[in-house]
Structures are given as C-alpha cells and as structure tokens.
Amino acid sequence: MTNWYAVGVGFVVMTVVGVVGLAIPGLGQLTAGLVGGFVAGYLAAGGAGRGAWHGLLAGSLGGIVVAVVFGAAVGLLGTIGLGPFGPLLGGSVFFVVLLVALVMGLESALAGALGGWIAEE
C-alpha cells in the first residue's frame, strides 16, 4: 500500500531543496532528488523495497510537474517570439525535461531505498 503522505512530504522537500539549490552553487537538483527520495523512503519505512517505491514516486512526481511547467512556459513564450514554432519548442523542452524526470526518479528511488532500510533498522 502506498503511503501518499510520505510521497507528498518527499516531493515538498525535493521542491524546497531544488529552489534553494538554484541559489546556492553546488547544491543543485541532484541533491534535491536524493534528499527528497531519502525522506520519502524514511517516512514510508518498511524496508529498502518500500522505501525505493516511495522515493521513486516522489522523484517522478516532482519531475513530471517540472516537465509540464517548463514545457508550457517555453511553448507560451515561444509562441510570442517564434509564432507557430513556439509550441514545437515547448514540446521539445517537455520531452527533454521528462527524460530528466526519469533520471530524477531513479536517483530518488536509490535514496528512498536507503531511507527505508535505515528506518527499518
């Protein structure tokens, strides 16, 4: 059974660390995915498998939200500047960011497995 509270808290932590990571060099999005995934896995407890699942959900949710927001923003701004080619640019950005979301989900799953394992110990 999925603990959506753990996924939500992991997502919020990932978002906050990601925003702070934009302002502090060296912190970045990799750290955000790791910290958020770890928190989701730790809160879900139940071992490494359960922690990995919850970390994956938190990381993927964050990545998909970022992909949709960036894709829509670039498509809208591109329409203003590039006319009919703007939505094409927005769609391209959406798919690139979606690939980044996949990577973010995988790293969050690894951190979530560690968090779930530590919570069980």
XYZ file of all heavy atoms in Angstrom:
817
model
N 0.838 -1.173 0.000
C 0.000 0.000 0.000
C 0.887 1.242 0.000
O 1.861 1.318 0.725
C -0.893 -0.019 1.237
C -1.708 1.172 1.428
S -3.399 0.658 1.560
C -4.198 2.187 1.478
N 0.533 2.203 -0.798
C 1.333 3.404 -0.934
C 0.984 4.414 0.154
O -0.176 4.707 0.402
C 1.097 4.041 -2.314
O 1.428 3.094 -3.318
C 1.952 5.272 -2.495
N 2.013 4.941 0.785
C 1.859 5.969 1.801
C 2.002 7.329 1.097
O 3.104 7.812 0.870
C 2.936 5.786 2.874
C 2.825 6.789 3.995
O 2.136 7.799 3.887
N 3.516 6.502 5.085
N 0.872 7.924 0.736
C 0.902 9.173 -0.023
C 1.408 10.339 0.810
O 1.901 11.322 0.265
C -0.471 9.463 -0.620
C -0.757 8.513 -1.738
C -1.615 7.455 -1.710
C -0.144 8.495 -3.032
N -1.569 6.784 -2.908
C -0.680 7.398 -3.743
C 0.812 9.279 -3.652
C -0.297 7.098 -5.044
C 1.197 8.970 -4.948
C 0.638 7.888 -5.628
N 1.305 10.235 2.118
C 1.879 11.274 2.983
C 3.393 11.317 2.796
O 3.977 12.394 2.644
C 1.513 11.003 4.447
C 2.178 11.961 5.405
C 1.715 13.270 5.532
C 3.270 11.563 6.166
C 2.327 14.163 6.402
C 3.894 12.447 7.032
C 3.417 13.736 7.144
O 4.031 14.620 7.997
N 4.028 10.142 2.801
C 5.479 10.075 2.612
C 5.872 10.603 1.239
O 6.863 11.335 1.105
C 5.967 8.635 2.785
N 5.107 10.256 0.218
C 5.385 10.741 -1.142
C 5.238 12.259 -1.198
O 6.079 12.959 -1.769
C 4.451 10.058 -2.170
C 4.599 10.687 -3.543
C 4.732 8.565 -2.233
N 4.181 12.791 -0.590
C 3.952 14.232 -0.586
C 5.036 14.999 0.141
O 5.524 16.025 -0.347
N 5.435 14.493 1.302
C 6.497 15.160 2.063
C 7.810 15.093 1.287
O 8.548 16.082 1.215
C 6.642 14.538 3.470
C 7.884 15.057 4.165
C 5.409 14.825 4.311
N 8.104 13.950 0.677
C 9.315 13.829 -0.138
C 9.300 14.809 -1.301
O 10.317 15.436 -1.616
N 8.145 14.961 -1.947
C 8.006 15.910 -3.051
C 8.229 17.342 -2.583
O 8.935 18.118 -3.234
C 6.626 15.759 -3.692
C 6.287 16.844 -4.671
C 6.911 16.905 -5.901
C 5.355 17.812 -4.352
C 6.605 17.916 -6.803
C 5.042 18.815 -5.241
C 5.678 18.871 -6.472
N 7.638 17.708 -1.441
C 7.797 19.070 -0.919
C 9.262 19.328 -0.551
O 9.814 20.389 -0.864
C 6.856 19.315 0.283
C 7.195 20.603 1.011
C 5.412 19.325 -0.181
N 9.895 18.365 0.102
C 11.311 18.516 0.457
C 12.153 18.671 -0.805
O 13.041 19.523 -0.884
C 11.791 17.318 1.308
C 13.305 17.288 1.420
C 11.153 17.366 2.686
N 11.846 17.866 -1.816
C 12.568 17.941 -3.085
C 12.397 19.314 -3.730
O 13.355 19.886 -4.255
C 12.037 16.847 -4.025
C 12.907 16.533 -5.183
S 12.240 15.147 -6.111
C 12.064 13.895 -4.869
N 11.201 19.854 -3.680
C 10.931 21.161 -4.266
C 11.675 22.258 -3.513
O 12.306 23.124 -4.138
C 9.417 21.450 -4.246
O 8.748 20.401 -4.960
C 9.098 22.779 -4.882
N 11.637 22.229 -2.191
C 12.305 23.250 -1.390
C 13.820 23.188 -1.596
O 14.466 24.221 -1.831
C 11.940 23.101 0.108
C 12.819 23.974 0.984
C 10.482 23.422 0.330
N 14.394 21.999 -1.549
C 15.844 21.871 -1.748
C 16.219 22.265 -3.177
O 17.259 22.874 -3.407
C 16.325 20.436 -1.421
C 17.782 20.249 -1.787
C 16.119 20.146 0.050
N 15.352 21.973 -4.142
C 15.606 22.359 -5.524
C 15.613 23.860 -5.710
O 16.452 24.410 -6.429
N 14.687 24.556 -5.055
C 14.640 26.021 -5.141
C 15.870 26.623 -4.461
O 16.496 27.539 -4.987
C 13.331 26.569 -4.525
C 13.387 28.066 -4.341
C 12.154 26.167 -5.387
N 16.217 26.100 -3.299
C 17.420 26.577 -2.611
C 18.654 26.237 -3.444
O 19.598 27.022 -3.517
C 17.516 25.959 -1.192
C 18.848 26.264 -0.548
C 16.374 26.464 -0.325
N 18.628 25.086 -4.114
C 19.758 24.669 -4.948
C 19.997 25.577 -6.137
O 21.107 25.644 -6.654
N 18.964 26.282 -6.584
C 19.155 27.242 -7.669
C 19.978 28.440 -7.200
O 20.692 29.047 -7.986
C 17.797 27.724 -8.195
C 16.958 26.684 -8.928
C 15.585 27.259 -9.251
C 17.653 26.225 -10.186
N 19.856 28.783 -5.927
C 20.534 29.956 -5.392
C 21.931 29.636 -4.856
O 22.789 30.503 -4.829
C 19.697 30.586 -4.289
N 22.162 28.406 -4.433
C 23.448 28.040 -3.839
C 24.187 27.124 -4.810
O 23.746 25.999 -5.068
C 23.249 27.325 -2.485
C 22.520 28.233 -1.515
C 24.587 26.876 -1.917
C 22.164 27.569 -0.206
N 25.327 27.585 -5.339
C 26.084 26.746 -6.270
C 26.550 25.460 -5.585
O 26.927 25.451 -4.424
C 27.290 27.616 -6.645
C 26.926 29.002 -6.257
C 25.932 28.888 -5.151
N 26.490 24.370 -6.325
C 26.953 23.092 -5.804
C 25.858 22.248 -5.189
O 26.035 21.048 -5.010
N 24.730 22.841 -4.837
C 23.646 22.074 -4.228
C 22.825 21.393 -5.313
O 22.684 20.184 -5.322
C 22.781 22.987 -3.361
C 21.919 22.324 -2.314
C 22.754 21.435 -1.417
C 21.205 23.356 -1.483
N 22.264 22.127 -6.221
C 21.644 21.615 -7.431
C 20.501 20.638 -7.275
O 20.047 20.321 -6.183
N 20.029 20.150 -8.427
C 18.864 19.280 -8.492
C 19.188 17.840 -8.097
O 18.318 17.111 -7.638
C 18.260 19.321 -9.889
C 17.857 20.715 -10.330
C 16.990 21.439 -9.327
O 16.008 20.887 -8.859
N 17.351 22.649 -8.967
N 20.421 17.423 -8.274
C 20.810 16.074 -7.865
C 20.622 15.920 -6.359
O 20.060 14.934 -5.890
C 22.253 15.783 -8.261
C 22.796 14.430 -7.843
C 22.067 13.321 -8.591
C 24.282 14.341 -8.103
N 21.055 16.910 -5.619
C 20.894 16.887 -4.167
C 19.417 16.886 -3.792
O 19.009 16.179 -2.863
C 21.597 18.098 -3.527
O 22.958 18.108 -3.943
C 21.529 18.047 -2.021
N 18.623 17.657 -4.517
C 17.185 17.722 -4.227
C 16.542 16.351 -4.389
O 15.752 15.922 -3.548
C 16.510 18.736 -5.138
N 16.867 15.642 -5.462
C 16.311 14.308 -5.693
C 16.738 13.311 -4.631
O 15.946 12.488 -4.171
N 17.995 13.393 -4.240
C 18.499 12.473 -3.219
C 17.861 12.719 -1.859
O 17.419 11.786 -1.187
C 20.027 12.582 -3.122
C 20.814 12.062 -4.317
C 22.296 12.395 -4.171
C 20.614 10.572 -4.491
N 17.786 13.980 -1.460
C 17.220 14.306 -0.146
C 15.725 13.996 -0.106
O 15.224 13.379 0.845
C 17.489 15.783 0.222
C 16.757 16.178 1.486
C 18.975 16.025 0.381
N 14.986 14.400 -1.156
C 13.548 14.136 -1.193
C 13.229 12.651 -1.233
O 12.308 12.184 -0.555
N 13.988 11.894 -2.014
C 13.783 10.447 -2.072
C 14.079 9.770 -0.748
O 13.358 8.861 -0.316
N 15.155 10.218 -0.094
C 15.506 9.663 1.212
C 14.405 9.914 2.226
O 14.006 9.013 2.964
C 16.824 10.259 1.711
C 17.244 9.740 3.050
C 17.938 8.546 3.152
C 16.929 10.427 4.213
C 18.315 8.048 4.396
C 17.292 9.935 5.446
C 17.998 8.744 5.544
N 13.880 11.142 2.248
C 12.810 11.489 3.201
C 11.558 10.652 2.931
O 10.941 10.123 3.859
C 12.500 13.000 3.143
C 11.224 13.333 3.890
C 13.660 13.799 3.692
N 11.202 10.508 1.662
C 10.019 9.703 1.319
C 10.209 8.255 1.752
O 9.307 7.642 2.320
C 9.746 9.782 -0.176
N 11.384 7.690 1.489
C 11.652 6.311 1.883
C 11.695 6.132 3.382
O 11.204 5.132 3.922
N 12.268 7.093 4.080
C 12.356 7.014 5.534
C 10.973 7.080 6.170
O 10.671 6.318 7.089
C 13.252 8.141 6.065
C 13.534 8.034 7.541
C 14.527 7.185 8.006
C 12.795 8.751 8.472
C 14.783 7.063 9.358
C 13.031 8.641 9.820
C 14.042 7.788 10.265
O 14.285 7.665 11.605
N 10.135 7.999 5.673
C 8.788 8.126 6.239
C 7.920 6.906 5.923
O 7.063 6.530 6.721
C 8.108 9.390 5.721
C 8.640 10.705 6.264
C 7.931 11.881 5.613
C 8.497 10.778 7.776
N 8.132 6.303 4.766
C 7.344 5.126 4.396
C 7.759 3.912 5.208
O 6.937 3.045 5.507
C 7.495 4.836 2.908
N 9.045 3.862 5.600
C 9.624 2.744 6.352
C 9.327 1.411 5.655
O 9.012 1.390 4.482
C 9.135 2.764 7.791
N 9.454 0.323 6.333
C 9.110 -0.972 5.769
C 10.190 -1.631 4.922
O 9.910 -2.580 4.216
N 11.391 -1.135 4.951
C 12.471 -1.786 4.225
C 12.886 -1.049 2.963
O 12.291 -0.042 2.577
N 13.912 -1.594 2.332
C 14.504 -0.957 1.162
C 13.547 -0.934 -0.035
O 13.476 0.058 -0.769
C 15.803 -1.651 0.788
N 12.799 -2.006 -0.250
C 11.881 -2.059 -1.388
C 10.770 -1.038 -1.285
O 10.460 -0.333 -2.241
N 10.180 -0.948 -0.120
C 9.107 0.030 0.105
C 9.657 1.451 0.028
O 9.036 2.351 -0.539
C 8.462 -0.236 1.464
C 7.273 0.632 1.771
C 6.559 0.096 3.019
N 5.648 1.060 3.582
C 4.393 1.226 3.184
N 3.918 0.464 2.222
N 3.624 2.133 3.750
N 10.844 1.661 0.581
C 11.476 2.978 0.515
C 11.799 3.378 -0.912
O 11.605 4.526 -1.309
N 12.285 2.421 -1.706
C 12.603 2.706 -3.109
C 11.340 3.081 -3.879
O 11.358 4.010 -4.695
C 13.275 1.493 -3.753
N 10.248 2.383 -3.626
C 8.993 2.677 -4.315
C 8.514 4.094 -4.002
O 8.140 4.850 -4.885
C 7.930 1.649 -3.929
C 6.568 1.985 -4.439
C 5.482 2.339 -3.695
C 6.134 2.014 -5.803
N 4.407 2.576 -4.516
C 4.788 2.388 -5.816
C 6.772 1.761 -7.009
C 4.060 2.524 -6.982
C 6.040 1.899 -8.183
C 4.701 2.274 -8.164
N 8.555 4.472 -2.733
C 8.084 5.791 -2.339
C 9.038 6.891 -2.817
O 8.604 7.975 -3.203
C 7.863 5.851 -0.832
C 6.646 5.102 -0.411
N 6.641 3.729 -0.263
C 5.392 5.510 -0.150
C 5.430 3.341 0.086
N 4.650 4.408 0.165
N 10.336 6.616 -2.804
C 11.292 7.573 -3.351
C 11.095 7.762 -4.843
O 11.159 8.876 -5.352
N 10.820 6.664 -5.560
C 10.567 6.738 -6.996
C 9.320 7.568 -7.283
O 9.321 8.414 -8.175
C 10.403 5.335 -7.582
C 10.026 5.260 -9.058
C 11.194 5.722 -9.912
C 9.625 3.855 -9.437
N 8.261 7.355 -6.521
C 7.036 8.134 -6.727
C 7.260 9.623 -6.462
O 6.815 10.468 -7.239
C 5.913 7.614 -5.824
C 5.299 6.282 -6.219
C 4.282 5.845 -5.164
C 4.657 6.352 -7.575
N 7.974 9.942 -5.385
C 8.226 11.355 -5.063
C 9.082 12.007 -6.141
O 8.787 13.118 -6.596
C 8.903 11.471 -3.698
N 10.133 11.328 -6.581
C 11.011 11.887 -7.604
C 10.323 12.023 -8.946
O 10.483 13.029 -9.643
N 9.548 11.040 -9.315
C 8.837 11.096 -10.593
C 7.767 12.172 -10.586
O 7.586 12.879 -11.576
C 8.200 9.742 -10.905
O 9.207 8.766 -11.039
N 7.063 12.302 -9.483
C 6.047 13.344 -9.371
C 6.684 14.719 -9.537
O 6.189 15.556 -10.295
C 5.331 13.245 -8.018
C 4.269 14.291 -7.725
C 3.098 14.124 -8.694
C 3.793 14.167 -6.298
N 7.785 14.936 -8.864
C 8.488 16.210 -8.993
C 8.965 16.449 -10.410
O 8.830 17.550 -10.952
N 9.499 15.431 -11.047
C 9.988 15.574 -12.410
C 8.883 15.853 -13.408
O 9.047 16.664 -14.323
N 7.756 15.200 -13.240
C 6.635 15.408 -14.168
C 6.063 16.816 -14.013
O 5.753 17.481 -15.000
C 5.556 14.327 -13.960
C 6.085 12.989 -14.479
C 4.263 14.703 -14.658
C 5.234 11.806 -14.125
N 5.947 17.286 -12.783
C 5.455 18.647 -12.559
C 6.395 19.662 -13.209
O 5.954 20.593 -13.891
C 5.284 18.933 -11.042
C 5.079 20.402 -10.771
C 4.135 18.124 -10.489
N 7.700 19.483 -13.044
C 8.677 20.385 -13.659
C 8.572 20.323 -15.182
O 8.623 21.351 -15.864
C 10.102 20.043 -13.179
C 11.151 20.756 -14.012
C 10.257 20.401 -11.717
N 8.413 19.126 -15.744
C 8.314 18.976 -17.200
C 7.096 19.708 -17.751
O 7.183 20.399 -18.769
C 8.252 17.494 -17.573
N 5.965 19.580 -17.088
C 4.747 20.237 -17.557
C 4.880 21.758 -17.462
O 4.549 22.484 -18.410
C 3.513 19.738 -16.759
C 2.301 20.600 -17.020
C 3.226 18.290 -17.118
N 5.394 22.247 -16.344
C 5.519 23.694 -16.153
C 6.506 24.284 -17.165
O 6.210 25.282 -17.830
C 5.940 24.031 -14.705
C 6.347 25.486 -14.563
C 4.814 23.693 -13.745
N 7.690 23.677 -17.314
C 8.677 24.199 -18.264
C 8.188 24.089 -19.703
O 8.375 25.001 -20.499
C 10.017 23.492 -18.121
C 10.882 24.042 -17.030
C 11.875 23.268 -16.468
C 10.717 25.325 -16.550
C 12.689 23.760 -15.467
C 11.510 25.831 -15.542
C 12.507 25.040 -14.996
N 7.568 22.977 -20.049
C 7.062 22.802 -21.409
C 6.004 23.837 -21.757
O 6.025 24.434 -22.839
N 5.077 24.080 -20.827
C 4.026 25.074 -21.066
C 4.600 26.487 -21.141
O 4.224 27.277 -22.012
C 2.970 24.997 -19.967
N 5.526 26.808 -20.247
C 6.116 28.149 -20.232
C 6.905 28.418 -21.506
O 6.767 29.477 -22.121
C 7.013 28.319 -19.009
N 7.727 27.465 -21.925
C 8.518 27.657 -23.140
C 7.605 27.704 -24.363
O 7.825 28.495 -25.283
C 9.594 26.558 -23.274
C 10.245 26.597 -24.641
C 10.637 26.714 -22.189
N 6.568 26.874 -24.383
C 5.623 26.902 -25.501
C 4.897 28.232 -25.601
O 4.747 28.794 -26.686
N 4.474 28.760 -24.453
C 3.771 30.044 -24.437
C 4.701 31.187 -24.829
O 4.376 32.004 -25.693
C 3.175 30.300 -23.050
C 2.414 31.611 -22.879
C 1.163 31.595 -23.765
C 2.031 31.807 -21.439
N 5.858 31.244 -24.213
C 6.813 32.300 -24.541
C 7.334 32.149 -25.971
O 7.571 33.137 -26.660
C 7.975 32.298 -23.552
C 7.607 32.667 -22.119
C 8.799 32.510 -21.194
C 7.054 34.068 -22.041
N 7.493 30.915 -26.419
C 7.942 30.681 -27.785
C 6.916 31.104 -28.810
O 7.257 31.572 -29.899
N 5.642 30.957 -28.490
C 4.580 31.383 -29.398
C 4.630 32.893 -29.602
O 4.423 33.392 -30.708
C 3.203 30.969 -28.850
O 3.169 29.558 -28.714
C 2.090 31.414 -29.766
N 4.940 33.595 -28.536
C 5.033 35.055 -28.635
C 6.209 35.452 -29.524
O 6.089 36.313 -30.384
C 5.170 35.684 -27.231
C 3.891 35.433 -26.442
C 5.473 37.169 -27.317
C 3.996 35.762 -24.973
N 7.352 34.806 -29.330
C 8.553 35.184 -30.075
C 8.750 34.469 -31.394
O 9.316 35.018 -32.333
N 8.293 33.215 -31.495
C 8.567 32.408 -32.680
C 7.328 32.080 -33.505
O 7.427 31.347 -34.482
C 9.254 31.097 -32.272
C 10.597 31.240 -31.568
C 11.076 29.883 -31.086
C 11.621 31.868 -32.491
N 6.184 32.533 -33.066
C 4.961 32.252 -33.815
C 4.586 30.790 -33.744
O 4.559 30.198 -32.669
N 4.342 30.164 -34.898
C 3.878 28.775 -34.899
C 4.947 27.763 -34.470
O 4.630 26.622 -34.178
C 3.459 28.531 -36.349
C 4.192 29.556 -37.141
C 4.381 30.739 -36.237
N 6.201 28.164 -34.397
C 7.256 27.238 -33.970
C 7.402 27.170 -32.455
O 8.099 26.318 -31.929
C 8.599 27.628 -34.596
C 8.615 27.472 -36.081
C 8.629 28.590 -36.906
C 8.590 26.219 -36.657
C 8.622 28.455 -38.284
C 8.574 26.069 -38.032
C 8.596 27.193 -38.843
N 6.739 28.063 -31.731
C 6.803 28.091 -30.274
C 6.314 26.810 -29.621
O 7.004 26.252 -28.771
N 5.126 26.302 -29.998
C 4.664 25.051 -29.392
C 5.587 23.867 -29.699
O 5.741 22.973 -28.874
C 3.280 24.840 -30.020
C 2.812 26.218 -30.348
C 4.060 26.957 -30.766
N 6.225 23.874 -30.849
C 7.187 22.817 -31.182
C 8.362 22.864 -30.214
O 8.807 21.838 -29.703
C 7.668 22.971 -32.625
C 8.682 21.942 -33.103
C 8.054 20.550 -33.117
C 9.175 22.314 -34.484
N 8.848 24.070 -29.951
C 9.934 24.245 -28.989
C 9.493 23.823 -27.597
O 10.228 23.137 -26.880
C 10.404 25.699 -28.988
C 11.538 26.044 -28.028
C 12.797 25.286 -28.412
C 11.793 27.535 -28.045
N 8.268 24.199 -27.212
C 7.740 23.814 -25.900
C 7.623 22.310 -25.751
O 7.950 21.744 -24.717
N 7.167 21.640 -26.802
C 7.072 20.173 -26.769
C 8.433 19.525 -26.669
O 8.612 18.528 -25.967
N 9.416 20.083 -27.341
C 10.774 19.546 -27.267
C 11.330 19.683 -25.859
O 11.942 18.748 -25.330
C 11.692 20.287 -28.246
O 11.219 20.153 -29.563
N 11.120 20.838 -25.267
C 11.583 21.058 -23.895
C 10.875 20.099 -22.948
O 11.489 19.530 -22.049
C 11.354 22.531 -23.477
C 11.544 22.713 -21.985
C 12.284 23.442 -24.248
N 9.580 19.873 -23.170
C 8.821 18.943 -22.331
C 9.463 17.559 -22.343
O 9.656 16.946 -21.296
C 7.372 18.865 -22.814
C 6.570 17.808 -22.115
C 6.081 18.020 -20.841
C 6.315 16.590 -22.728
C 5.344 17.043 -20.188
C 5.582 15.612 -22.084
C 5.099 15.845 -20.811
N 9.829 17.053 -23.519
C 10.401 15.708 -23.597
C 11.804 15.634 -23.012
O 12.175 14.629 -22.402
C 10.374 15.190 -25.035
C 9.005 14.754 -25.455
C 8.325 15.432 -26.439
C 8.370 13.692 -24.828
C 7.052 15.056 -26.815
C 7.097 13.302 -25.181
C 6.427 13.980 -26.182
N 12.580 16.688 -23.150
C 13.919 16.706 -22.539
C 13.789 16.707 -21.019
O 14.471 15.954 -20.322
C 14.736 17.919 -23.038
C 15.983 18.112 -22.199
C 15.086 17.753 -24.506
N 12.900 17.538 -20.503
C 12.725 17.610 -19.054
C 12.093 16.320 -18.531
O 12.382 15.882 -17.426
C 11.909 18.857 -18.654
C 11.619 18.890 -17.174
C 12.652 20.116 -19.056
N 11.267 15.667 -19.338
C 10.699 14.386 -18.934
C 11.799 13.325 -18.795
O 11.749 12.489 -17.893
C 9.645 13.935 -19.945
C 8.628 12.912 -19.461
C 7.881 13.432 -18.249
C 7.663 12.575 -20.567
N 12.804 13.382 -19.646
C 13.955 12.482 -19.520
C 14.709 12.776 -18.227
O 15.122 11.847 -17.524
C 14.880 12.633 -20.732
C 16.116 11.759 -20.720
C 15.732 10.282 -20.792
C 17.018 12.119 -21.885
N 14.867 14.050 -17.916
C 15.497 14.430 -16.652
C 14.654 13.919 -15.478
O 15.191 13.469 -14.461
C 15.692 15.957 -16.574
C 16.146 16.399 -15.201
C 16.682 16.406 -17.638
N 13.333 13.935 -15.617
C 12.439 13.432 -14.575
C 12.664 11.942 -14.347
O 12.620 11.468 -13.216
C 10.990 13.690 -14.948
N 12.903 11.207 -15.410
C 13.178 9.776 -15.280
C 14.447 9.552 -14.464
O 14.473 8.723 -13.557
C 13.301 9.138 -16.659
C 13.670 7.671 -16.683
C 12.560 6.831 -16.088
C 13.982 7.229 -18.094
N 15.487 10.306 -14.777
C 16.742 10.190 -14.032
C 16.530 10.596 -12.582
O 17.021 9.940 -11.656
C 17.845 11.046 -14.698
C 19.088 11.103 -13.841
C 18.162 10.504 -16.080
N 15.770 11.661 -12.371
C 15.495 12.126 -11.010
C 14.711 11.078 -10.221
O 14.951 10.866 -9.036
C 14.723 13.440 -11.063
C 14.742 14.236 -9.810
S 14.061 15.877 -10.160
C 14.162 16.590 -8.546
N 13.791 10.406 -10.885
C 13.030 9.347 -10.230
C 13.907 8.174 -9.831
O 13.758 7.612 -8.747
N 14.861 7.812 -10.689
C 15.754 6.693 -10.384
C 16.681 7.013 -9.217
O 16.892 6.187 -8.333
C 16.557 6.307 -11.625
C 15.746 5.684 -12.750
C 16.629 5.437 -13.961
C 15.093 4.388 -12.297
N 17.245 8.216 -9.206
C 18.119 8.571 -8.090
C 17.330 8.700 -6.794
O 17.821 8.335 -5.729
C 18.899 9.848 -8.394
C 18.029 11.060 -8.508
C 18.742 12.341 -8.172
O 19.739 12.313 -7.456
O 18.257 13.381 -8.620
N 16.096 9.173 -6.881
C 15.248 9.258 -5.694
C 14.889 7.867 -5.184
O 14.765 7.660 -3.977
C 13.971 10.037 -6.004
O 14.275 11.359 -6.338
N 14.725 6.920 -6.100
C 14.434 5.542 -5.699
C 15.612 4.945 -4.936
O 15.421 4.257 -3.919
C 14.101 4.686 -6.918
N 16.822 5.204 -5.398
C 18.005 4.694 -4.684
C 18.108 5.311 -3.292
O 18.367 4.613 -2.306
C 19.272 4.980 -5.491
C 19.406 4.207 -6.791
C 20.619 4.690 -7.575
C 19.512 2.715 -6.514
N 17.894 6.620 -3.205
C 17.940 7.286 -1.902
C 16.783 6.814 -1.014
O 16.945 6.650 0.192
C 17.891 8.797 -2.079
N 15.621 6.568 -1.619
C 14.475 6.065 -0.858
C 14.724 4.681 -0.301
O 14.300 4.356 0.805
N 15.419 3.843 -1.072
C 15.772 2.502 -0.583
C 16.666 2.608 0.644
O 16.481 1.885 1.631
C 16.461 1.707 -1.687
N 17.614 3.523 0.599
C 18.485 3.729 1.755
C 17.686 4.245 2.947
O 17.857 3.770 4.077
C 19.607 4.718 1.393
C 20.577 5.060 2.514
C 21.362 3.816 2.940
C 21.519 6.155 2.078
N 16.782 5.199 2.706
C 15.957 5.734 3.787
C 15.049 4.676 4.393
O 14.902 4.599 5.610
N 14.437 3.842 3.552
C 13.585 2.768 4.060
C 14.351 1.742 4.852
O 13.882 1.214 5.867
N 15.569 1.454 4.399
C 16.420 0.481 5.088
C 16.832 1.027 6.461
O 16.792 0.315 7.456
C 17.639 0.161 4.229
C 18.583 -0.793 4.875
C 18.382 -2.115 5.091
C 19.878 -0.489 5.382
N 19.474 -2.659 5.708
C 20.423 -1.682 5.888
C 20.633 0.677 5.444
C 21.681 -1.725 6.459
C 21.892 0.618 6.000
C 22.398 -0.576 6.501
N 17.202 2.304 6.504
C 17.615 2.916 7.776
C 16.423 3.006 8.737
O 16.566 2.774 9.927
C 18.236 4.310 7.526
C 19.609 4.139 6.884
C 18.341 5.111 8.815
C 20.273 5.413 6.466
N 15.243 3.327 8.218
C 14.052 3.442 9.070
C 13.690 2.097 9.690
O 13.156 2.042 10.798
C 12.878 3.981 8.273
N 13.969 1.015 8.968
C 13.629 -0.310 9.484
C 14.621 -0.781 10.552
O 14.267 -1.563 11.410
C 13.575 -1.305 8.332
C 12.972 -2.619 8.751
C 12.773 -3.539 7.568
O 13.699 -3.654 6.759
O 11.706 -4.123 7.485
N 15.825 -0.294 10.473
C 16.869 -0.732 11.418
C 16.646 -0.231 12.797
O 16.063 0.543 13.278
C 18.255 -0.281 10.936
C 18.694 -0.992 9.698
C 18.845 -2.479 9.853
O 19.465 -2.936 10.846
O 18.333 -3.208 9.025
